Amino acid sequence: MRLGFLGLLLACGCPSGGGGSYKQPAKLPTADEVVAKLAATRDARKAFRAESVMDYWLGGQRVKGTVLVMGTSQRQVRFNAISPQEDVLADMACDGQDFALVNMQKNCQLTGPCNKQSIATFLRVEMEPEDVLHLALGTVPVPAGSTGKVTWDSSKGYERVELTSPEGTQKIVIDARDGRADIVSSELSRDGKVVWSVENADFGEVKDEAGGTHRLPAKTRFKSPQKDADLLVEWKERTVNPALDPSKFKITIPAGLGRCP
């Protein structure tokens, strides 16, 4: 299953060849128009709640299991790692400013500021809290001040966007067939080295609580090569833009728990 998924992602991200069967539109969007459209999509997807199967890697350790997760665009996120017996193995919450983690297996806890390092205490992958929202909802962040160009891949029916900004060079691949706007992949490079990359596959329609429809990926892969970090996610049930009580992003640490290593 996992090898099949990776093969699909590789196929999605391969470079364009010679001639292709997808005719270039009469007018390609400009880079500014693509950036504006991506911003509008992010603005339309403010929160989520999901069940997932996460498979991630850091150094010599691989972990896979069911994870319940929810988050908002306000740097709020909550994870519950679930055992096969449906017990909570670990609980992590980030309220936008502070985070707390309770590891039931090791009977320990951690607290600190809400940032990419706190997300790494749970996933072992460094990403900003709001990036969890981007992963779940198939959106992509774009650094401020980005400018660039858009080219057409006739072999795939993709728009290939290349942006530059003070953050580095960002490449975004968009499936534009039949009016789609699916983010197939995105990567940010700096000084010739990839900082992070995301690949998405198996897009389908998901309803939000107001009855709107969103095309979201069913499978996502996030990589941070310089950290030797790799996260695979298979998204199961998802709700877009649910009303989430801020109290859901806080955890009360049980008394007497020692600090996790």
Side-chain angles (χ1 to χ4, degrees):
M1 177 69 75
R2 179 170 173 265
L3 289 177
F5 171 42
L6 295 181
L8 175 60
L9 289 176
L10 182 60
C12 288
C14 64
S16 59
S21 58
Y22 296 97
K23 185 178 179 180
Q24 179 174 321
K27 182 182 181 301
L28 276 178
T30 66
D32 287 346
E33 289 171 338
V34 170
V35 170
K37 188 172 183 179
L38 292 174
T41 301
R42 292 194 302 272
D43 287 344
R45 301 174 185 176
K46 295 293 191 183
F48 79 97
R49 181 173 54 237
E51 176 182 341
S52 68
V53 175
M54 294 192 180
D55 182 354
Y56 50 95
W57 176 275
L58 182 64
Q61 186 174 10
R62 195 84 199 182
V63 182
K64 182 174 183 177
T66 297
V67 179
L68 306 181
V69 56
M70 59 184 175
T72 77
S73 58
Q74 303 302 306
R75 296 176 61 84
Q76 297 168 316
V77 65
R78 179 81 178 263
F79 297 101
N80 280 165
I82 307 299
S83 75
Q85 294 75 37
E86 300 188 352
D87 298 319
V88 176
L89 300 176
D91 189 2
M92 185 266 188
C94 191
D95 66 5
Q97 292 186 338
D98 303 303
F99 93 96
L101 167 70
V102 177
N103 187 325
M104 286 73 166
Q105 283 188 304
K106 297 185 178 179
N107 204 34
C108 63
Q109 55 80 27
L110 277 176
T111 59
C114 179
N115 54 30
K116 63 183 180 181
Q117 285 79 25
S118 58
I119 300 300
T121 64
F122 188 90
L123 294 180
R124 298 180 175 86
V125 173
E126 287 189 358
M127 64 176 71
E128 295 294 342
E130 62 268 30
D131 289 341
V132 179
L133 178 86
H134 295 314
L135 287 183
L137 299 184
T139 56
V140 59
V142 176
S146 294
T147 59
K149 62 181 180 179
V150 182
T151 57
W152 179 253
D153 182 343
S154 60
S155 69
K156 298 288 185 182
Y158 290 171
E159 295 169 353
R160 295 187 178 271
V161 186
E162 183 168 334
L163 304 172
T164 58
S165 74
E167 296 293 319
T169 300
Q170 184 172 9
K171 295 180 180 179
I172 305 171
V173 179
I174 302 172
D175 183 349
R177 294 173 299 163
D178 303 321
R180 299 171 187 162
D182 300 339
I183 307 301
V184 175
S185 66
S186 180
E187 73 172 32
L188 179 69
S189 299
R190 189 180 301 125
D191 300 326
K193 296 181 179 179
V194 176
V195 179
W196 56 259
S197 66
V198 175
E199 296 169 299
N200 295 314
D202 293 0
F203 284 81
E205 294 186 349
V206 177
K207 296 285 187 180
D208 63 26
E209 291 197 340
T213 301
H214 305 262
R215 277 184 61 82
L216 307 182
K219 297 175 181 177
T220 302
R221 183 179 189 182
F222 177 87
K223 296 175 70 177
S224 181
Q226 296 180 47
K227 299 291 185 180
D228 194 22
D230 179 2
L231 170 68
L232 293 174
V233 186
E234 295 183 37
W235 300 106
K236 303 301 183 181
E237 295 296 324
R238 255 175 309 182
T239 303
V240 181
N241 294 336
L244 298 175
D245 189 325
S247 66
K248 298 290 187 182
F249 300 100
K250 294 182 180 292
I251 296 174
T252 300
I253 302 293
L257 286 187
R259 183 175 175 81
C260 296

